[in-house]
Amino acid sequence: MSQLLSAFPHKSIGVAVIWNDDGQILIDKRLPQGAIGGLWEFPGGKIEPGETIQDCIRREIYEEIGIAIAVQDHLITVEHSYSDFRITLEVYNCTHLYGVPQTLECQEIRWVTLAEIDQFSFPQANQKIITALRQLHC
Ligand SMILES: Nc1nc2c([nH]c(=O)n2[C@H]2C[C@H](O)[C@@H](COP(=O)(O)OP(=O)(O)OP(=O)(O)O)O2)c(=O)[nH]1
Ligand SMILES: [Mg+2]
């Protein structure tokens, strides 16, 4: 089984949990295309060769949302297998520095509290991130 799983393509993804001064988190709705299309996520994307996780997260958030952030502490690393690929999500707490969030590569953006987050549909891999956030802030 593990041999079979390791044959699937693997992607390493830098992911930002971006906090604002009101204790809300930024989430975005992915574009409709693809297996995970239309679900909500924490913004981020593939770590390029030679790039640190922090550089990846800053770059992706500027490309996708158009804002500047400070990357803070590591929250969790999540390994997850979807039906035809595997991902490693490297998740960092971040703070919003400046810029108004824009839907440059997504359908919609919201600032939400942890109490509100269950109202949104996330990919399977995100459950572990949300649990880690709840443990951090309970
Ligand atoms: N950014 C992000 N990706 C997530 C989350 N949860 C989750 O399963 N993923 C998956 C979906 C995608 O398969 C992968 C992220 O890929 P992506 O499409 O954001 O990558 P990218 O921005 O570099 O875009 P591309 O160049 O591949 O088009 O990780 C999440 O909370 N945030
Ligand atoms: Mg992305």
Side-chain angles (χ1 to χ4, degrees):
M1 186 63 178
S2 59
Q3 271 181 331
L4 193 64
L5 285 178
S6 61
F8 290 145
H10 175 262
K11 303 195 237 181
S12 289
I13 311 292
V15 175
V17 174
I18 306 169
W19 296 87
N20 69 14
D21 291 340
D22 296 327
Q24 295 168 308
I25 299 167
L26 186 148
I27 60 172
D28 71 274
K29 191 175 190 183
R30 290 177 67 87
L31 294 172
Q33 300 85 352
I36 303 171
L39 294 179
W40 291 83
E41 66 168 11
F42 305 106
K46 276 194 297 288
I47 303 168
E48 302 290 348
E51 189 177 48
T52 66
I53 301 171
Q54 285 87 347
D55 285 345
C56 161
I57 290 174
R58 276 188 292 268
R59 175 183 55 73
E60 288 282 351
I61 278 25
Y62 187 70
E63 288 174 5
E64 294 185 349
I65 309 285
I67 61 172
I69 58 166
V71 180
Q72 310 284 357
D73 56 307
H74 173 255
L75 175 67
I76 189 171
T77 299
V78 176
E79 305 277 355
H80 191 82
S81 296
Y82 288 112
S83 54
D84 54 355
F85 66 97
R86 296 178 301 126
I87 49 169
T88 302
L89 302 177
E90 299 284 2
V91 188
Y92 279 70
N93 284 304
C94 301
T95 45
H96 182 207
L97 292 178
Y98 57 85
V100 177
Q102 302 162 63
T103 51
L104 301 175
E105 295 185 12
C106 59
Q107 298 189 55
E108 209 179 322
I109 294 170
R110 298 265 184 103
W111 288 105
V112 298
T113 63
L114 269 182
E116 292 165 338
I117 215 160
D118 286 339
Q119 299 166 26
F120 300 86
S121 296
F122 285 86
Q124 263 176 34
N126 286 55
Q127 268 330 305
K128 286 183 183 158
I129 304 175
I130 291 167
T131 300
L133 283 169
R134 291 229 162 88
Q135 283 167 356
L136 197 68
H137 290 270
C138 60

